[in-house]
Amino acid sequence: MSTNLSNYDIYVYKGNSFILDFKYTDKLNRGIDLSNYEAKLQIRRSRYHDELVAELTENYPTGCFGRGLSGDFLSGQGVTGYTGGLILNYEAVPGNIHMHIDSETAFAIPLGKNSYDLQLIETTTRIQRTILRGTFELLPNTLSAEREFAGINGGEIGVVQ
């Protein structure tokens, strides 16, 4: 049984890594070879916001970009250096897509509802198609509050007891 993933909401706890593996298929449920495609996933505060709070590219494992100290950013200008990104035809299986957001990037995304979309770009024609979109909601957790208090996210240095 296939699932229509074209509108798929994602929920992540602040500071947790996020991995999603799925298969992009044709009408007969066969994996589509993505060898001639590039991919980009962008997360924005809203679908109408130009600046990004996170971006994934195929430069795995350093294809996960976040906000850094300067805040929201334009495509190609985020901070990376952690683990993450996109892999097309993951594990050499046509249509398999691997999406990975590292914990540091997820920690920097603003709490609440954000919007995201995943685009495939055909390398010869440059035709772009959005294959996945929805709400990317970042949820608070106890560890996030403790990390902020301990100075990891700019808070004052302290001891959590």
Side-chain angles (χ1 to χ4, degrees):
M1 181 171 145
S2 70
T3 302
N4 180 357
L5 289 178
S6 62
N7 197 10
Y8 184 78
D9 294 335
I10 296 172
Y11 301 88
V12 178
Y13 285 102
K14 186 171 183 76
N16 285 4
S17 296
F18 175 77
I19 295 174
L20 176 65
D21 294 320
F22 65 97
K23 192 168 199 169
Y24 184 53
T25 60
D26 62 16
K27 292 179 183 179
L28 299 175
N29 207 28
R30 295 177 298 203
I32 297 171
D33 184 11
L34 301 172
S35 300
N36 295 321
Y37 288 87
E38 298 169 3
K40 184 184 294 189
L41 181 135
Q42 298 180 329
I43 303 172
R44 296 175 163 77
R45 290 179 186 262
S46 81
R47 67 183 78 162
Y48 306 108
H49 202 89
D50 289 335
E51 293 181 321
L52 308 175
V53 296
E55 181 174 43
L56 300 181
T57 67
E58 290 177 81
N59 295 330
Y60 195 89
T62 57
C64 185
F65 298 87
R67 295 173 68 215
L69 297 175
S70 60
D72 297 1
F73 60 95
L74 297 174
S75 182
Q77 298 178 355
V79 176
T80 190
Y82 303 106
T83 301
L86 298 167
I87 302 175
L88 302 181
N89 291 332
Y90 182 55
E91 297 180 334
V93 178
N96 276 7
I97 298 175
H98 177 76
M99 178 191 325
H100 181 185
I101 299 174
D102 65 79
S103 61
E104 294 296 326
T105 301
F107 189 80
I109 296 172
L111 287 175
K113 292 183 180 181
N114 300 277
S115 293
Y116 82 94
D117 56 17
L118 173 62
Q119 304 98 30
L120 291 179
I121 302 108
E122 210 278 325
T123 53
T124 55
T125 64
R126 305 306 296 165
I127 292 174
Q128 179 175 315
R129 124 182 0 140
T130 300
I131 64 164
L132 190 63
R133 67 185 175 281
T135 299
F136 186 97
E137 186 165 355
L138 203 73
L139 306 167
N141 68 28
T142 305
L143 179 59
S144 294
E146 290 173 2
R147 287 177 68 180
E148 283 190 32
F149 179 75
I152 296 173
N153 194 32
E156 296 197 339
I157 302 301
V159 177
V160 177
Q161 297 187 21

